[in-house]
Structure formats: C-alpha cells, structure tokens
Amino acid sequence: MRQALAALILLTGPALAAEPIVGRASVTDGDTVVIRGTRIRLHGIDAPESAQLCQDTAGKSYRCGQVAALALADRIGEANISCEPRDTDRYGRTVAVCRKGDEDLNAWMVSQGYATAYQR
C-alpha cells in the first residue's frame, strides 16, 4: 500500500506542479508578478529592481526599475495572464513563462529593452 501511494505521488507531483497559474496579476517589479498570492519570477529574464537607478545616454539618472515595472503593468493592463511554471527560485518564487493571450510577456520585456535575457 505504501509503495502504491508513493508511486502515485511521484507520478502526479510533476503534473500538478506544471498546472498554469491564471488570473489578474499585480506587478512587483519588471520580472516579478503576483497572482492570487503566488509570487512569480519571469523565467529567462532579468529586469532592474524597482528602486534601481540607471543613466540615460546623456548621463542623467532615472528610475529604470520603476520604468520596467510600469511597462509590464501597462502591457498586462486589466487582463488575466497565464503563467506556466518551470522551476522554483532560491527565494521560493515560482519561475514561469507568462502570457497575455498568445503574447510571451517575458520575451516582450526583453524585446522592448526593459529586461535582459538572464545569463547564469
């Protein structure tokens, strides 16, 4: 009986973990959202922290982290998004690819220059 239960847990565990997380998202920063209490880190990208400062081409400082977070929030708007879990990071966040409809939000952040492709 114990072996059967262990086998069932092993077989169903990954399938349950891979279920998409769907709902309205609040944006924490340019690479983190929260859906129904679940913190989700966007897979494969790195965006500036919310309070991070960068310099523009003229050398003037600006809040690039805030700009990235606002861009993601504006792109999502009031829509539900769907996040496909890939992993869990060292902070306990779900790491996922998130989409608004068919649009990959992770790729959009990089293509628009608000984030870079994450390099380990």
Side-chain angles (χ1 to χ4, degrees), residues 24-104:
R24 299 250 329 251
S26 60
V27 174
T28 302
D29 59 33
D31 55 21
T32 307
V33 298
V34 178
I35 299 175
R36 296 187 326 267
T38 301
R39 287 176 44 94
I40 302 166
R41 169 90 156 80
L42 301 185
H43 179 266
I45 73 168
D46 189 27
E49 299 303 317
S50 291
Q52 185 172 334
L53 296 177
C54 297
Q55 290 187 346
D56 64 17
T57 55
K60 182 179 177 187
S61 293
Y62 72 101
R63 294 187 62 188
C64 54
Q66 182 182 40
V67 169
L70 290 172
L72 180 58
D74 286 346
R75 191 65 174 183
I76 293 170
E78 299 291 319
N80 283 337
I81 65 171
S82 177
C83 298
E84 301 162 12
R86 300 290 167 92
D87 202 355
T88 301
D89 72 9
R90 63 183 175 171
Y91 303 108
R93 297 176 295 189
T94 298
V95 178
V97 173
C98 296
R99 299 180 192 289
K100 177 183 172 184
D102 292 335
E103 181 178 40
D104 180 331

